[in-house]
């Protein structure tokens, strides 16, 4: 298991890393993914992964109430 306190250097983050990156709960990310507001990647092991660029785009969309 990867330490979620480790420096983020990968483009794809697991759900715990992505939640930490955004400063939100894991369930918030799951909800965004289920509603189609945040794209995800399923790895071969069916792990839910998120692209850092998609996380950054989400932040930009949410700025200023958009």
């Amino acid at each position: 298991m990867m330490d979620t306190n480790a420096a983020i250097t990968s483009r794809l983050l697991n759900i715990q890393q992505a939640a930490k990156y955004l400063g939100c709960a894991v369930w918030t990310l799951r909800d965004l993914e289920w509603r189609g507001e945040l794209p995800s990647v399923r790895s071969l092991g069916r792990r839910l992964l998120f692209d850092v660029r998609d996380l950054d785009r989400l932040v930009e969309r949410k700025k200023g109430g958009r």
Side-chain angles (χ1 to χ4, degrees), residues 2-61:
M2 184 175 176
D3 180 7
T4 56
N5 292 324
I8 296 172
T9 58
S10 175
R11 178 174 163 188
L12 294 177
L13 306 178
N14 66 35
I15 196 162
Q16 291 85 9
Q17 293 167 322
K20 183 172 181 165
Y21 184 82
L22 292 178
C24 68
V26 167
W27 283 105
T28 301
L29 285 180
R30 288 186 189 279
D31 187 51
L32 289 168
E33 194 262 343
W34 287 333
R35 290 187 287 151
E37 292 185 44
L38 182 61
S40 63
V41 176
R42 294 275 178 182
S43 69
L44 292 175
R46 296 185 35 93
R47 287 182 15 187
L48 192 59
L49 302 173
F50 296 93
D51 188 325
V52 171
R53 292 186 276 188
D54 291 328
L55 299 174
D56 290 338
R57 279 192 283 273
L58 175 70
V59 170
E60 290 302 317
R61 283 194 317 265

